[in-house]
Amino acid sequence: MAGFAWLALSLCAREFHVAPMQGYTNAPMRFLLQKLAPDSQLWTEMEKVDDLLLLDHWGLDKRFGLDQDSPIVVQLGGNKVEDMQTCVQKLCNNEYAIKDLNLNCGCPSIESGGASNFGASLMKEPKLTRDLLLTMRECAPDHISVSLKCRIGVFETPDDMKSINDEEYEKLNHFIARATEAKISGIILHARPAVLSGLSPKNNRIVPVLDYSVVNRVASDFPDLHITVNGGLRSLPMLQSMVVDSPVNSYMAGRWILRKPLDLVRIQSEFLHDLKIDDSTFGDRICSALMDYRTLIEKTISSRDPMFSHWELGLPLYLILEQLRESEGTDEEFNLSSEEDIKSILLESLLLLSSHSSGKNKKLNRLSSSSTWKQMSNCLKCLVGTKVFNKWKRNRVEL
């Protein structure tokens, strides 16, 4: 009986986080992802403190006002204690649905969202990191927790990079110990070291070696600290296998979800609740999420002062259409009894965007339930423009 009790506790404690992703995890994207997996934890993009301080109420509402049904994690990037204090007070005074404020100590470069003096570079300054976290904790109300996201190590250049031996681990341990002095609720550990210069953002996600054992060691050394592991997760089977015999029950993925957002439906059922669902239920849940998103599009474009642009509303649709397109003729192809319904909802969403677009879309007018996913995806080019569409394609290849 004790074994079954442990299993039940393990299942209840499981968490899945969609990682903060620059240019992706904005309010419309979070809205749709939350509909696909209501119990997943959604994060904002990394929000630079300097930028937030300049925003008026409308700008803040655009970033944080759409998440009232699902409290979010707001990730902040900055290194000035006074500015952090003002920023946190500004956010909390507006009473947005914020569950947690997270300090970014993991982005290795300006291009990937960090900077030369914050992001992963803060791992070299444990005292400043503690002071920033302490300020966040003191300024936030009790119902909002404060957390830290960092790497398992930090090196200046690729030539300095090495495995996380005992000496490097002691640096990490000291950094985390100082952070816990600020009474943080948890830490999200990207299981790769960061290289501050000499690697592109893409290569910083590939070249540094993943080492999940370091995350497990941290979990063992800080048993009272909630640990989430980030980095390298690419599929549901991999996610499920990592839980076995692991002290960590909380996991984060970013690029996997952007490449395959519909996988969130099975993460919701099979990982978070250990419930298998058939293809019919899978399709029905996709339809339900897309219907809610279609309503959001309709509400947005009918406003006299739309809060979101065509490309912000179109990007989530593009990612879903591309997953469906890529799955055709492969082992991952969806057996959707509701495929026609899904196409119909997606087509309605595209038509809504087109009706408020300045350009004409003759291709869109020829779409029907017999159109391919590729044909539907390509129609977005006319809605958002060739430049934006080609950028979407390039960025997705690098995911």
Side-chain angles (χ1 to χ4, degrees):
M1 288 297 292
F4 289 111
W6 176 88
L7 177 60
L9 178 62
S10 174
L11 291 174
C12 291
R14 287 184 185 178
E15 292 181 12
F16 184 82
H17 298 244
V18 179
M21 299 282 289
Q22 294 300 107
Y24 286 102
T25 52
N26 55 24
M29 182 73 74
R30 294 196 304 269
F31 181 90
L32 180 54
L33 298 184
Q34 192 274 333
K35 298 300 179 181
L36 292 169
D39 295 325
S40 62
Q41 181 58 60
L42 279 299
W43 287 52
T44 66
E45 303 171 79
M46 196 279 291
E47 300 284 358
K48 296 179 182 178
V49 168
D50 289 346
D51 293 343
L52 293 181
L53 291 176
L54 297 175
L55 292 179
D56 58 14
H57 188 73
W58 189 90
L60 290 172
D61 277 356
K62 176 176 180 176
R63 279 171 164 79
F64 313 118
L66 197 61
D67 302 283
Q68 296 305 314
D69 295 334
S70 180
I72 53 173
V73 177
V74 176
Q75 186 179 66
L76 299 174
N79 70 334
K80 299 175 182 176
V81 173
E82 289 185 3
D83 287 349
M84 183 66 74
Q85 177 182 3
T86 304
C87 179
V88 172
Q89 290 172 341
K90 183 176 183 178
L91 284 175
C92 294
N93 287 342
N94 280 279
E95 298 185 352
Y96 294 116
I98 299 172
K99 179 179 180 180
D100 181 89
L101 294 171
N102 177 267
L103 180 64
N104 182 331
C105 294
C107 287
S109 67
I110 295 173
E111 290 81 5
S112 57
S116 59
N117 56 2
F118 64 89
S121 63
L122 281 174
M123 292 189 67
K124 303 173 78 69
E125 300 189 59
K127 181 180 182 301
L128 175 57
T129 299
R130 181 205 62 183
D131 292 345
L132 288 165
L133 290 166
L134 192 59
T135 298
M136 294 163 67
R137 180 61 280 161
E138 290 174 345
C139 294
D142 291 342
H143 71 274
I144 297 178
S145 57
V146 172
S147 64
L148 168 73
K149 188 174 188 293
C150 67
R151 300 286 187 115
I152 58 172
V154 60
F155 302 104
E156 288 291 340
T157 70
D159 292 338
D160 300 322
M161 190 168 50
K162 54 187 173 183
S163 61
I164 306 300
N165 54 26
D166 286 345
E167 179 183 357
E168 293 300 324
Y169 179 78
E170 283 306 312
K171 296 178 184 177
L172 175 64
N173 186 288
H174 174 68
F175 176 74
I176 295 173
R178 293 306 299 269
T180 60
E181 294 173 7
K183 295 181 172 56
I184 59 174
S185 63
I187 182 168
I188 297 83
L189 273 171
H190 188 146
R192 286 187 178 92
V195 178
L196 297 180
S197 61
L199 283 182
S200 68
K202 179 182 178 181
N203 285 334
N204 238 305
R205 303 191 299 266
I206 299 173
V207 175
V209 177
L210 281 165
D211 191 345
Y212 296 119
S213 68
V214 176
V215 180
N216 292 339
R217 187 174 177 183
V218 171
S220 176
D221 287 349
F222 296 89
D224 296 328
L225 192 62
H226 184 272
I227 305 293
T228 299
V229 61
N230 175 219
L233 286 171
R234 306 297 294 180
S235 68
L236 182 58
M238 181 182 181
L239 175 61
Q240 291 170 322
S241 68
M242 288 186 67
V243 180
V244 179
D245 298 325
S246 172
V248 179
N249 267 3
S250 182
Y251 296 84
M252 172 181 280
R255 285 162 182 82
W256 162 28
I257 301 306
L258 295 181
R259 283 199 66 85
K260 300 179 179 180
L262 298 181
D263 285 12
L264 278 171
V265 176
R266 296 204 184 278
I267 290 171
Q268 169 74 17
S269 295
E270 299 179 22
F271 178 72
L272 294 176
H273 296 287
D274 202 39
L275 297 171
K276 292 284 186 180
I277 57 172
D278 57 27
D279 292 334
S280 176
T281 303
F282 179 68
D284 289 345
R285 292 185 181 179
I286 294 173
C287 284
S288 177
L290 290 175
M291 282 294 293
D292 287 340
Y293 192 69
R294 178 202 173 282
T295 301
L296 172 66
I297 293 175
E298 185 174 27
K299 181 179 179 181
T300 300
I301 63 177
S302 63
S303 170
R304 294 180 60 183
D305 188 17
M307 191 162 280
F308 307 111
S309 66
H310 280 64
W311 75 262
E312 288 172 317
L313 294 168
L315 180 55
L317 300 177
Y318 171 76
L319 295 178
I320 284 177
L321 285 165
E322 284 298 287
Q323 180 181 3
L324 292 166
R325 179 189 65 79
E326 283 189 345
S327 70
E328 285 186 314
T330 71
D331 293 339
E332 295 183 352
E333 184 170 9
F334 297 105
N335 180 23
L336 295 173
S337 59
S338 52
E339 179 173 318
E340 189 171 332
D341 292 333
I342 292 173
K343 282 187 175 179
S344 176
I345 300 166
L346 286 168
L347 180 57
E348 289 175 7
S349 299
L350 293 173
L351 286 169
L352 278 170
L353 287 175
S354 179
S355 67
H356 285 71
S357 173
S358 57
K360 294 183 178 180
N361 194 339
K362 294 180 180 179
K363 287 184 179 180
L364 185 56
N365 293 331
R366 294 196 292 267
L367 288 179
S368 68
S369 59
S370 61
S371 299
T372 65
W373 302 121
K374 182 177 181 179
Q375 289 171 331
M376 297 181 73
S377 178
N378 285 342
C379 282
L380 279 161
K381 183 186 294 186
C382 298
L383 291 176
V384 301
T386 301
K387 185 177 180 180
V388 171
F389 186 80
N390 288 342
K391 182 180 180 180
W392 286 355
K393 290 181 69 174
R394 289 194 305 272
N395 290 348
R396 191 173 182 275
V397 168
E398 293 189 356
L399 290 174

